[in-house]
Amino acid sequence: MIDEQIRQAGWQADSKLMTYAKGERPEHGKNKAIAEWQISKNRADYVLFVGLMPIAIIEAKKQNKDVSGKITQAERYASGFEMDDTMLPAWSYPQQELAQTSPWQNSQTSFSVPFVYSTNGRPYFEQQEEQSGIWFRDVRKPSNIKRALQQFHSPEGLLNLLTQDNEQSNAKLLAEPLAHLGLRDYQQQAIKHIENALSCEQLANEIDPNGEEKTLIFCVTDRHADMVKRLLDEAFVNLYGDDYHEESVRKITGQSNKQDELIRLYKNEKFPSIAITVDLLTTGIDVPAICHLVFLRRVKSRILYEQMKGRATRRCDDIGKTVFKIYDPVDLCASLQAVDTMTPLVKNPNISLAQLVDEFMSLPVLANNNSSQNPSVDAQTIDEQTNLESAEQTAILDTHAKEVLDQISQKLMRVLIKANKKAEKNQKVKEKLTELQSSWGVEPTKLHQELYSKGMAYAKEFLTAHTRLVTEIAELQFLVGTGKNPIIYTGDDEFLKRVQTTDDTANSQNIDDYLEILMHLLDSN
């Protein structure tokens, strides 16, 4: 069946006779699909040759296997394919606009073959796209995403793709409607609600696929995971364009090829930063950088639910992690709230740094804490301690002061580590950090450790000596820019013109006219 689909697209194909083992090789002037091509210790199901040029690799599966998530296997073959002296490299094909002298490099991987397919022989299903039988991806750019096709490309079709940039193809792909799971109407509406609420534009706006914070998404089934992968790819391409790396999002389920390798990359490398799973990663994985959990499935087991949440509870000072976020469009948290034994440690995460510093400075620093080199502070703490009514009250105040100091340290860590990353490309932020280091006498990214490790007496001395700390952090945040404190225009306003309306002009112009004028002024300034 797959042979016939390939032949219909204009290729010579016979998986029993035209095999690598039987001596089939590319020939000038012939368009061949050579089966079982040897690549290292593995065999690619088909390699498509236009004359002497290897142009695509096809990964074939049985018809009862969904193949949307299998295209990564073809990508590995496209990366591992070895050229010989008789072949024409696709990357140097002279007619293409982006001809180059070496294989295409995408972050951690290079590709010798530009196009990949996965197939199981099924037809195309418009309303159940994840079940479609042919999936395709152009691997020349990391922002290119996979998509379902109705048929294989012809040799001329692949040459056309090779000889032009693919911006128009991406734009056309982004215009395609969202797919459903092929369920009943009310089930389709529920899935669409989840998609609209979270996994498409909403989630793409919340999570940075190129950042250091990891994301873990829990889906219902393997097919559901394939759908979420596709929707996220489309949303991220729409938002980031060519800055998006397709390898930043990976499905890691029991059906994934090379599961252990995918898990290793997720734990130790920058990409993937977003893992989509069903239940493979609920336990037994330790990734402290997980900062975002997304629940797209419901579970009834409290133990499983807490295991899922437990993936994000590890502290990660390397990236300034102080909290983790849960995105829950299926209302899983509410459904298990009555039996949930995991409660947040921070009662009010919205309290400001200024409030925390004021509260900490108002608390007595007790004698059982780390001692200070300042005798006046020690004397003060002794006097204050004598006024405590009981040892129990002393312990309560001591614990509370430590909790407040911990929250101060966490907030400082998050801001300063983020600023340090921003300083790599922002000279003003870099200069500000140098200024703060000179003032504080400690590297800014180490300040939180300095305060917390040396104890409350030292922290109180430091905050007393650096009364502008809160202001300095606010100034730094302004330079870095955040969602709550964006970088805004700080120049002087300029008067452009004044329009006076009369009764006649007011009647001739409605609110839409004024809005159009306002939008024009905003766009042009």
Side-chain angles (χ1 to χ4, degrees), residues 352-372:
S352 69
L353 177 63
Q355 290 173 297
L356 289 170
V357 170
D358 287 344
E359 183 175 358
F360 179 74
M361 296 301 288
S362 69
L363 293 170
V365 179
L366 306 178
N368 62 349
N369 197 276
N370 298 38
S371 62
S372 168

PDB file of all heavy atoms in Angstrom, residues 352-372:
ATOM      1  N   SER A 352       5.208  41.919  48.496  1.00  0.00           N
ATOM      2  CA  SER A 352       6.333  42.575  47.816  1.00  0.00           C
ATOM      3  C   SER A 352       7.626  42.435  48.609  1.00  0.00           C
ATOM      4  O   SER A 352       7.630  42.162  49.814  1.00  0.00           O
ATOM      5  CB  SER A 352       6.020  44.050  47.605  1.00  0.00           C
ATOM      6  OG  SER A 352       6.017  44.733  48.850  1.00  0.00           O
ATOM      7  N   LEU A 353       8.738  42.690  47.918  1.00  0.00           N
ATOM      8  CA  LEU A 353      10.044  42.663  48.577  1.00  0.00           C
ATOM      9  C   LEU A 353      10.119  43.741  49.644  1.00  0.00           C
ATOM     10  O   LEU A 353      10.662  43.512  50.735  1.00  0.00           O
ATOM     11  CB  LEU A 353      11.152  42.858  47.531  1.00  0.00           C
ATOM     12  CG  LEU A 353      12.582  42.916  48.067  1.00  0.00           C
ATOM     13  CD1 LEU A 353      12.966  41.603  48.737  1.00  0.00           C
ATOM     14  CD2 LEU A 353      13.567  43.238  46.943  1.00  0.00           C
ATOM     15  N   ALA A 354       9.571  44.914  49.355  1.00  0.00           N
ATOM     16  CA  ALA A 354       9.598  46.009  50.334  1.00  0.00           C
ATOM     17  C   ALA A 354       8.861  45.610  51.618  1.00  0.00           C
ATOM     18  O   ALA A 354       9.333  45.883  52.726  1.00  0.00           O
ATOM     19  CB  ALA A 354       8.973  47.257  49.724  1.00  0.00           C
ATOM     20  N   GLN A 355       7.702  44.968  51.480  1.00  0.00           N
ATOM     21  CA  GLN A 355       6.949  44.528  52.661  1.00  0.00           C
ATOM     22  C   GLN A 355       7.729  43.499  53.463  1.00  0.00           C
ATOM     23  O   GLN A 355       7.753  43.536  54.694  1.00  0.00           O
ATOM     24  CB  GLN A 355       5.605  43.952  52.221  1.00  0.00           C
ATOM     25  CG  GLN A 355       4.619  44.970  51.676  1.00  0.00           C
ATOM     26  CD  GLN A 355       3.381  44.304  51.102  1.00  0.00           C
ATOM     27  OE1 GLN A 355       3.458  43.551  50.124  1.00  0.00           O
ATOM     28  NE2 GLN A 355       2.238  44.579  51.695  1.00  0.00           N
ATOM     29  N   LEU A 356       8.371  42.579  52.762  1.00  0.00           N
ATOM     30  CA  LEU A 356       9.145  41.543  53.451  1.00  0.00           C
ATOM     31  C   LEU A 356      10.332  42.142  54.200  1.00  0.00           C
ATOM     32  O   LEU A 356      10.621  41.761  55.349  1.00  0.00           O
ATOM     33  CB  LEU A 356       9.627  40.496  52.448  1.00  0.00           C
ATOM     34  CG  LEU A 356       8.567  39.578  51.851  1.00  0.00           C
ATOM     35  CD1 LEU A 356       9.141  38.762  50.706  1.00  0.00           C
ATOM     36  CD2 LEU A 356       8.003  38.633  52.926  1.00  0.00           C
ATOM     37  N   VAL A 357      11.035  43.082  53.568  1.00  0.00           N
ATOM     38  CA  VAL A 357      12.184  43.718  54.228  1.00  0.00           C
ATOM     39  C   VAL A 357      11.728  44.495  55.455  1.00  0.00           C
ATOM     40  O   VAL A 357      12.353  44.417  56.529  1.00  0.00           O
ATOM     41  CB  VAL A 357      12.931  44.629  53.235  1.00  0.00           C
ATOM     42  CG1 VAL A 357      13.971  45.487  53.967  1.00  0.00           C
ATOM     43  CG2 VAL A 357      13.611  43.799  52.146  1.00  0.00           C
ATOM     44  N   ASP A 358      10.646  45.255  55.325  1.00  0.00           N
ATOM     45  CA  ASP A 358      10.129  46.007  56.487  1.00  0.00           C
ATOM     46  C   ASP A 358       9.750  45.055  57.614  1.00  0.00           C
ATOM     47  O   ASP A 358      10.044  45.325  58.798  1.00  0.00           O
ATOM     48  CB  ASP A 358       8.903  46.833  56.071  1.00  0.00           C
ATOM     49  CG  ASP A 358       9.274  48.034  55.216  1.00  0.00           C
ATOM     50  OD1 ASP A 358      10.463  48.398  55.201  1.00  0.00           O
ATOM     51  OD2 ASP A 358       8.374  48.599  54.562  1.00  0.00           O
ATOM     52  N   GLU A 359       9.094  43.950  57.272  1.00  0.00           N
ATOM     53  CA  GLU A 359       8.683  42.994  58.299  1.00  0.00           C
ATOM     54  C   GLU A 359       9.898  42.365  58.971  1.00  0.00           C
ATOM     55  O   GLU A 359       9.945  42.226  60.208  1.00  0.00           O
ATOM     56  CB  GLU A 359       7.805  41.908  57.679  1.00  0.00           C
ATOM     57  CG  GLU A 359       7.267  40.896  58.688  1.00  0.00           C
ATOM     58  CD  GLU A 359       6.301  39.904  58.077  1.00  0.00           C
ATOM     59  OE1 GLU A 359       6.016  40.012  56.861  1.00  0.00           O
ATOM     60  OE2 GLU A 359       5.825  39.020  58.819  1.00  0.00           O
ATOM     61  N   PHE A 360      10.904  41.998  58.168  1.00  0.00           N
ATOM     62  CA  PHE A 360      12.099  41.365  58.733  1.00  0.00           C
ATOM     63  C   PHE A 360      12.838  42.327  59.656  1.00  0.00           C
ATOM     64  O   PHE A 360      13.295  41.945  60.751  1.00  0.00           O
ATOM     65  CB  PHE A 360      13.027  40.905  57.609  1.00  0.00           C
ATOM     66  CG  PHE A 360      14.294  40.263  58.098  1.00  0.00           C
ATOM     67  CD1 PHE A 360      14.284  38.983  58.635  1.00  0.00           C
ATOM     68  CD2 PHE A 360      15.504  40.945  58.038  1.00  0.00           C
ATOM     69  CE1 PHE A 360      15.448  38.395  59.094  1.00  0.00           C
ATOM     70  CE2 PHE A 360      16.672  40.360  58.498  1.00  0.00           C
ATOM     71  CZ  PHE A 360      16.642  39.078  59.023  1.00  0.00           C
ATOM     72  N   MET A 361      12.948  43.596  59.257  1.00  0.00           N
ATOM     73  CA  MET A 361      13.671  44.573  60.080  1.00  0.00           C
ATOM     74  C   MET A 361      12.937  44.891  61.373  1.00  0.00           C
ATOM     75  O   MET A 361      13.552  45.335  62.353  1.00  0.00           O
ATOM     76  CB  MET A 361      13.891  45.855  59.273  1.00  0.00           C
ATOM     77  CG  MET A 361      14.783  45.673  58.051  1.00  0.00           C
ATOM     78  SD  MET A 361      16.436  45.062  58.466  1.00  0.00           S
ATOM     79  CE  MET A 361      17.144  46.528  59.220  1.00  0.00           C
ATOM     80  N   SER A 362      11.628  44.650  61.421  1.00  0.00           N
ATOM     81  CA  SER A 362      10.865  44.923  62.645  1.00  0.00           C
ATOM     82  C   SER A 362      10.929  43.773  63.648  1.00  0.00           C
ATOM     83  O   SER A 362      10.552  43.928  64.803  1.00  0.00           O
ATOM     84  CB  SER A 362       9.403  45.204  62.296  1.00  0.00           C
ATOM     85  OG  SER A 362       8.761  44.010  61.833  1.00  0.00           O
ATOM     86  N   LEU A 363      11.409  42.603  63.186  1.00  0.00           N
ATOM     87  CA  LEU A 363      11.469  41.429  64.056  1.00  0.00           C
ATOM     88  C   LEU A 363      12.775  41.403  64.835  1.00  0.00           C
ATOM     89  O   LEU A 363      13.829  41.817  64.331  1.00  0.00           O
ATOM     90  CB  LEU A 363      11.353  40.144  63.235  1.00  0.00           C
ATOM     91  CG  LEU A 363      10.004  39.898  62.552  1.00  0.00           C
ATOM     92  CD1 LEU A 363      10.107  38.724  61.583  1.00  0.00           C
ATOM     93  CD2 LEU A 363       8.929  39.630  63.595  1.00  0.00           C
ATOM     94  N   PRO A 364      12.741  40.904  66.087  1.00  0.00           N
ATOM     95  CA  PRO A 364      13.990  40.782  66.846  1.00  0.00           C
ATOM     96  C   PRO A 364      14.855  39.660  66.275  1.00  0.00           C
ATOM     97  O   PRO A 364      14.351  38.640  65.830  1.00  0.00           O
ATOM     98  CB  PRO A 364      13.505  40.445  68.261  1.00  0.00           C
ATOM     99  CG  PRO A 364      12.195  39.779  68.059  1.00  0.00           C
ATOM    100  CD  PRO A 364      11.569  40.460  66.866  1.00  0.00           C
ATOM    101  N   VAL A 365      16.166  39.878  66.256  1.00  0.00           N
ATOM    102  CA  VAL A 365      17.095  38.832  65.854  1.00  0.00           C
ATOM    103  C   VAL A 365      17.604  38.173  67.125  1.00  0.00           C
ATOM    104  O   VAL A 365      18.222  38.812  67.964  1.00  0.00           O
ATOM    105  CB  VAL A 365      18.267  39.417  65.036  1.00  0.00           C
ATOM    106  CG1 VAL A 365      19.236  38.314  64.655  1.00  0.00           C
ATOM    107  CG2 VAL A 365      17.741  40.112  63.812  1.00  0.00           C
ATOM    108  N   LEU A 366      17.342  36.890  67.275  1.00  0.00           N
ATOM    109  CA  LEU A 366      17.537  36.220  68.560  1.00  0.00           C
ATOM    110  C   LEU A 366      18.951  35.699  68.730  1.00  0.00           C
ATOM    111  O   LEU A 366      19.684  35.434  67.774  1.00  0.00           O
ATOM    112  CB  LEU A 366      16.534  35.075  68.671  1.00  0.00           C
ATOM    113  CG  LEU A 366      15.077  35.529  68.453  1.00  0.00           C
ATOM    114  CD1 LEU A 366      14.135  34.352  68.516  1.00  0.00           C
ATOM    115  CD2 LEU A 366      14.700  36.588  69.473  1.00  0.00           C
ATOM    116  N   ALA A 367      19.334  35.505  69.978  1.00  0.00           N
ATOM    117  CA  ALA A 367      20.705  35.138  70.305  1.00  0.00           C
ATOM    118  C   ALA A 367      21.074  33.748  69.830  1.00  0.00           C
ATOM    119  O   ALA A 367      22.236  33.433  69.661  1.00  0.00           O
ATOM    120  CB  ALA A 367      20.929  35.238  71.824  1.00  0.00           C
ATOM    121  N   ASN A 368      20.109  32.863  69.603  1.00  0.00           N
ATOM    122  CA  ASN A 368      20.435  31.505  69.173  1.00  0.00           C
ATOM    123  C   ASN A 368      20.693  31.437  67.678  1.00  0.00           C
ATOM    124  O   ASN A 368      20.911  30.379  67.123  1.00  0.00           O
ATOM    125  CB  ASN A 368      19.314  30.527  69.542  1.00  0.00           C
ATOM    126  CG  ASN A 368      17.998  30.873  68.854  1.00  0.00           C
ATOM    127  OD1 ASN A 368      17.848  31.929  68.260  1.00  0.00           O
ATOM    128  ND2 ASN A 368      17.049  29.957  68.957  1.00  0.00           N
ATOM    129  N   ASN A 369      20.665  32.621  67.009  1.00  0.00           N
ATOM    130  CA  ASN A 369      20.940  32.657  65.579  1.00  0.00           C
ATOM    131  C   ASN A 369      22.418  32.865  65.364  1.00  0.00           C
ATOM    132  O   ASN A 369      23.175  33.109  66.326  1.00  0.00           O
ATOM    133  CB  ASN A 369      20.138  33.787  64.943  1.00  0.00           C
ATOM    134  CG  ASN A 369      20.045  33.636  63.437  1.00  0.00           C
ATOM    135  OD1 ASN A 369      20.940  34.035  62.729  1.00  0.00           O
ATOM    136  ND2 ASN A 369      18.947  33.049  63.002  1.00  0.00           N
ATOM    137  N   ASN A 370      22.864  32.835  64.078  1.00  0.00           N
ATOM    138  CA  ASN A 370      24.266  33.067  63.755  1.00  0.00           C
ATOM    139  C   ASN A 370      24.718  34.385  64.360  1.00  0.00           C
ATOM    140  O   ASN A 370      24.080  35.415  64.220  1.00  0.00           O
ATOM    141  CB  ASN A 370      24.456  33.128  62.233  1.00  0.00           C
ATOM    142  CG  ASN A 370      24.075  31.824  61.586  1.00  0.00           C
ATOM    143  OD1 ASN A 370      23.114  31.181  61.984  1.00  0.00           O
ATOM    144  ND2 ASN A 370      24.841  31.436  60.566  1.00  0.00           N
ATOM    145  N   SER A 371      25.845  34.389  65.036  1.00  0.00           N
ATOM    146  CA  SER A 371      26.309  35.583  65.724  1.00  0.00           C
ATOM    147  C   SER A 371      26.815  36.616  64.745  1.00  0.00           C
ATOM    148  O   SER A 371      27.256  36.312  63.656  1.00  0.00           O
ATOM    149  CB  SER A 371      27.432  35.216  66.701  1.00  0.00           C
ATOM    150  OG  SER A 371      28.527  34.672  65.988  1.00  0.00           O
ATOM    151  N   SER A 372      26.813  37.874  65.159  1.00  0.00           N
ATOM    152  CA  SER A 372      27.284  38.979  64.333  1.00  0.00           C
ATOM    153  C   SER A 372      28.571  39.522  64.896  1.00  0.00           C
ATOM    154  O   SER A 372      28.863  39.382  66.089  1.00  0.00           O
ATOM    155  CB  SER A 372      26.210  40.069  64.273  1.00  0.00           C
ATOM    156  OG  SER A 372      26.747  41.234  63.727  1.00  0.00           O
TER     157      SER A 372
END
